[in-house]
């Protein structure tokens, strides 16, 4: 199965999950001095993978993977540590990081917000503040000015609805609120922030600007579903997809799709199969990816899969996972979907948010007992061959 010429092959990472010592942000504060009666986070991010210092080594791995692109994120807290106060040496640091990727022939897909907020911004009420899009827009504009020449695509916000859900609906992530109203306000502000940032970046230059959206495929149980289950699935998919994407209108050059799982509904409840389950208990269903891609055709924007991966510490399922997901991508392309790239989540094992370090999503293991040595897993070489040949060999 040959992929189109020029198809983008990459891996994705994010700053807080890999860099280490990412102080001055809301997550770092929350991770410190956890009281015993609080379950999460299971551990603090600490030095993480030390990618702040070891980024060249990480990009060497991307090169070894025969990747032609990489997705990273910029930490807002380091770049703008106080309102309107930009840190010159951090800007220089990230210019070096981006240049290091470029030197290795990697196109750069750069996320501006990946779940963490500067402390000054959080102190103003974070994304519940009506002015939050304005603050974000100023930072986005500065990034366009400082990094524009080194960036192939800006991705404004990572998974706005996942952020609103985890931080404001189920209260698992900072600022740990459980309030549907606030969660809705946050989603509206994130949407406004994307549109404002899109326009601000475009005012600096003709850059490519997208948004990263996690989309879950919801399907009625094939044998047990009621008429109501079918309606529930349609409604949940609408909330997860159209509700956010429709109002964006033309203020988007590409959609970054993060796909992890499908949810099946039977009699109003989740009833998934347990045939292929990740270490986090997520049901792996490659068919769901194809269905989402086919559905997204109606939006008519180019699509990149900006995240797709599996927590699999023993690396026993990852190879088949990659194969099956890419078969879904191939089929979608054959059916006319404008899918231009695939970024596997993730390059190296990293800080999996409230779960700490135990879920292993990496193509490369990080050996904590051995100076954070990077040790490629078997699936690393499997993915490297696909990227080299721009094709997958069909397997049963
Ligand atoms: C996030 C990543 C995370 C991954 C796996 C996505 O929701 O963007 O930061 O590590 O899922 O849970």
């Amino acid at each position: 199965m040959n992929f189109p010429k020029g198809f983008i092959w990459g891996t994705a990472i994010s700053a807080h999950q890999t860099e280490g010592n990412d102080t001055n942000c809301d997550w770092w504060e929350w991770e410190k001095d956890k009281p015993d009666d609080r379950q999460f986070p299971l551990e603090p991010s600490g030095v993480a993978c030390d990618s702040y210092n070891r980024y060249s080594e990480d990009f060497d791995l991307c090169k070894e993977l025969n990747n032609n692109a990489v997705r990273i994120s910029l930490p807002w807290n380091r770049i703008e540590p106080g309102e309107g106060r930009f840190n010159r040496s951090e800007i220089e640091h990230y210019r070096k990081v981006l240049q290091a990727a470029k030197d290795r022939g990697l196109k750069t897909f750069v996320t501006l917000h990946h779940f963490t907020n500067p402390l000054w911004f959080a102190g103003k009420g974070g994304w519940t503040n009506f002015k939050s899009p304005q603050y974000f827009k100023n930072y986005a504009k500065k990034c366009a000015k400082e990094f524009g020449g080194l960036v192939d695509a800006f991705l404004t916000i990572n998974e706005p609805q996942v952020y609103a859900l985890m931080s404001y609906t189920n209260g698992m992530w900072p600022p740990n609120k459980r309030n549907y109203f606030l969660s809705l306000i946050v989603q509206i502000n994130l949407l406004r922030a994307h549109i404002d940032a899109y326009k601000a970046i475009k005012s600096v230059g003709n850059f490519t600007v997208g948004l990263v959206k996690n989309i879950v495929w919801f399907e009625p149980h094939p044998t047990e579903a009621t008429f109501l289950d079918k309606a529930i699935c349609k409604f949940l998919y609408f909330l997860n997809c159209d509700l956010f994407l429709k109002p964006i209108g033309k203020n988007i050059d590409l959609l970054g799709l993060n796909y992890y799982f499908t949810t099946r509904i039977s009699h109003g409840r989740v009833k998934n199969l347990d045939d292929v389950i990740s270490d986090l208990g997520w049901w792996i269903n490659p068919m769901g990816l194809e269905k989402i891609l086919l559905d997204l055709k109606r939006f008519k924007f180019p699509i990149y899969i900006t995240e797709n991966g599996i927590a699999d510490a023993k690396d026993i399922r990852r190879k088949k996972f990659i194969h099956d997901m890419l078969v879904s991508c191939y089929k979608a392309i054959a059916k006319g979907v404008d899918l231009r790239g695939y970024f596997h989540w993730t390059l190296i094992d990293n800080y999996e948010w409230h779960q700490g370090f135990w879920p292993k999503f990496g193509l490369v293991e990080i050996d904590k007992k051995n100076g954070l040595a990077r040790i490629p897993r078997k699936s690393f070489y499997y993915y490297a061959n696909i990227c080299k040949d721009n094709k997958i060999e069909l397997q049963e």
Side-chain angles (χ1 to χ4, degrees), residues 14 17 71 114-115 158-159 162 173 212 214 258 260 280 282 307 345 350-353 361:
S14 93
Q17 293 178 272
R71 176 181 171 220
H114 198 121
F115 296 153
N158 180 66
E159 300 188 346
V162 171
W173 292 356
V212 174
N214 170 285
N258 291 359
Y260 286 95
L280 278 164
W282 298 356
E307 281 181 42
W345 184 272
N350 59 40
Y351 186 62
E352 184 50 32
W353 306 109
F361 277 90

Side-chain angles (χ1 to χ4, degrees), residues 108-129:
T108 51
F109 283 60
V110 178
T111 315
L112 298 180
H113 185 274
H114 198 121
F115 296 153
T116 59
N117 299 301
L119 273 184
W120 66 264
F121 175 84
K124 288 175 185 287
W127 291 101
T128 61
N129 186 329

Side-chain angles (χ1 to χ4, degrees), residues 142-317:
K142 181 74 175 171
C143 289
K145 284 184 185 155
E146 298 287 351
F147 308 117
L150 293 164
V151 171
D152 292 280
F154 282 105
L155 303 167
T156 55
I157 297 164
N158 180 66
E159 300 188 346
Q161 289 183 310
V162 171
Y163 172 78
L165 177 81
M166 299 301 282
S167 296
Y168 289 90
T169 307
N170 67 25
M172 265 171 50
W173 292 356
N176 313 97
K177 304 275 191 244
R178 287 167 179 258
N179 183 320
Y180 284 109
F181 178 69
L182 284 183
S183 181
L184 182 66
I185 298 290
V186 165
Q187 288 183 58
I188 293 169
N189 282 336
L190 287 164
L191 184 62
R192 291 173 55 219
H194 165 78
I195 295 174
D196 289 357
Y198 178 89
K199 291 180 179 157
I201 297 170
K202 291 285 186 184
S203 75
V204 178
N206 187 25
F207 303 117
T208 301
V209 188
L211 170 84
V212 174
K213 187 78 190 66
N214 170 285
I215 301 182
V216 174
W217 181 248
F218 292 94
E219 62 184 22
H221 192 281
T223 53
E224 299 168 8
T226 62
F227 181 72
L228 191 62
D229 291 333
K230 289 181 188 160
I232 293 173
C233 289
K234 281 220 157 79
F235 182 62
L236 290 174
Y237 186 76
F238 168 83
L239 289 182
N240 192 201
C241 181
D242 299 53
L243 182 79
F244 210 89
L245 293 182
K246 281 267 167 73
I248 288 178
K250 296 211 177 309
N251 299 303
I252 188 167
D253 302 329
L254 67 88
L255 179 74
L257 168 67
N258 291 359
Y259 174 75
Y260 286 95
F261 49 77
T262 293
T263 297
R264 271 190 180 173
I265 307 281
S266 159
H267 296 87
R269 286 172 195 275
V270 176
K271 191 170 179 193
N272 288 333
L273 290 179
D274 56 7
D275 50 353
V276 190
I277 301 287
S278 82
D279 293 351
L280 278 164
W282 298 356
W283 176 40
I284 304 304
N285 178 36
M287 278 298 289
L289 176 58
E290 187 186 337
K291 288 186 174 150
I292 294 172
L293 288 170
L294 289 173
D295 175 68
L296 290 174
K297 240 167 104 171
R298 65 196 160 95
F299 287 96
K300 299 198 172 23
F301 31 54
I303 302 168
Y304 291 77
I305 292 170
T306 37
E307 281 181 42
N308 175 239
I310 178 169
D312 177 24
K314 296 197 181 122
D315 202 38
I316 43 181
R317 301 204 168 85

